[in-house]
Amino acid sequence: MDREMTPSEKTEYKRHFPNLDVDRARVTDDATDVYNCIAWTVDVDWDWLWPGSTINEFDVFYQGYGFVRQGSGPVAVWALNGDYNQMTHGCISGPGHGPRWESKCGAGLRIQHGLTELEGAIYGQVIAYYAKSRDSRVLDKAAMLQDEVRKSKEVGAMLLDEYQKKALDGLKEAIPKDTVEAFENRFSAWKETWKSGHRILLSNTSYVRHSNEFVELAGMGKEIMPLLIEKLVEPDNFRALHLYDALQTDKFLKVLPGSSEEVILKGERFRAEEVVKLFLSNT
């Protein structure tokens, strides 16, 4: 795909990115929450990859994919207020990405733009660059990871085995029907907020905690955990991990962002799958 922005897209993106030349910007993919900016910088368009909020986590992530931090390079990463602990975004340039820079804007459009045109309150500014490593050991390890990541694309959505289904069904049966109904209504209302306004442009999904809908769901307590686990089985509900993390008091049943190299490298849907397996294996 290579097209101009529509009039409504120009209005919306100019509002969020005042420096963006919307008449020159090119749209290279429509809005989707299947993948995000960081995923696209490593040629992944089937998963949502977010290393964490710190530059150290970004270093681990990009080294895993064969990149090292340098003074310049084809991958630029962004942070708010020049703070290495407030990472926000990544964009890429070079062959296959057009003559300028290319960004997948969270769950929004993928666009080509001038490097500084996305500067502002949402992404901040470019804070570092990454380039391909020349270390054969790093590249060999990255090749193995990329093969593994590609296989995850072929496997597709998570499927529960018979034991897991039986365990989950048993837990759900113990929940009163009015609680189930209230959960479903509140979860739907919360999900509506996930991509509202500028939130659609964000790859760090921790913002989903900052709503009244989240507070209402969290207020229902741990009784809703089986219902939440059922939601996490669905690939598009990985943002609900933030509710799980808020409700789960047993640290051994958590898989937190940045908790391991594997979690950093494989992203939010992998983390959701690990949480589901961990929870159901301990029921």
Side-chain angles (χ1 to χ4, degrees), residues 15-89:
R15 176 162 53 89
H16 296 310
F17 303 112
N19 298 318
L20 179 63
D21 185 342
V22 292
D23 293 320
R24 285 192 66 199
R26 305 294 299 180
V27 176
T28 55
D29 197 8
D30 290 327
T32 172
D33 66 354
V34 172
Y35 71 106
N36 65 330
C37 63
I38 301 302
W40 186 239
T41 63
V42 292
D43 293 325
V44 170
D45 63 358
W46 61 87
D47 208 350
W48 192 281
L49 302 178
W50 182 250
S53 298
T54 73
I55 193 68
N56 290 336
E57 289 165 324
F58 271 56
D59 287 346
V60 171
F61 174 84
Y62 279 110
Q63 182 168 325
Y65 284 88
F67 291 82
V68 291
R69 184 156 32 123
Q70 295 187 352
S72 63
V75 173
V77 296
W78 302 59
L80 293 175
N81 306 314
D83 186 347
Y84 284 132
N85 295 312
Q86 295 190 67
M87 305 301 293
T88 58
H89 181 62

Side-chain angles (χ1 to χ4, degrees), residues 88-101:
T88 58
H89 181 62
C91 58
I92 187 167
S93 63
H97 299 285
R100 306 172 79 201
W101 288 81

Side-chain angles (χ1 to χ4, degrees), residues 198-216:
H198 77 281
R199 294 177 173 189
I200 194 173
L201 306 171
L202 303 178
S203 283
N204 181 352
T205 60
S206 62
Y207 67 83
V208 299
R209 292 170 171 257
H210 306 144
S211 69
N212 292 332
E213 291 82 359
F214 175 87
V215 173
E216 288 182 359

Side-chain angles (χ1 to χ4, degrees), residues 143-185:
M144 289 189 290
L145 173 64
Q146 287 162 345
D147 285 342
E148 191 174 346
V149 169
R150 276 190 287 269
K151 288 177 183 176
S152 72
K153 177 184 179 181
E154 297 168 3
V155 171
M158 180 182 358
L159 295 174
L160 300 183
D161 61 30
E162 289 304 314
Y163 170 82
Q164 292 170 325
K165 289 178 183 177
K166 185 176 180 179
L168 184 56
D169 287 343
L171 293 170
K172 287 166 53 186
E173 286 175 3
I175 303 174
K177 289 184 178 180
D178 59 342
T179 300
V180 174
E181 183 177 354
F183 170 82
E184 291 294 341
N185 291 335

Side-chain angles (χ1 to χ4, degrees), residues 3-22:
R3 64 170 176 83
E4 294 182 354
M5 284 185 158
T6 66
S8 62
E9 289 168 347
K10 288 181 179 181
T11 299
E12 179 184 1
Y13 277 71
K14 190 68 174 179
R15 176 162 53 89
H16 296 310
F17 303 112
N19 298 318
L20 179 63
D21 185 342
V22 292

Side-chain angles (χ1 to χ4, degrees), residues 105-120:
C105 299
L109 300 173
R110 194 175 79 208
I111 62 172
Q112 292 173 355
H113 57 88
L115 181 59
T116 61
E117 290 181 5
L118 300 187
E119 288 184 351

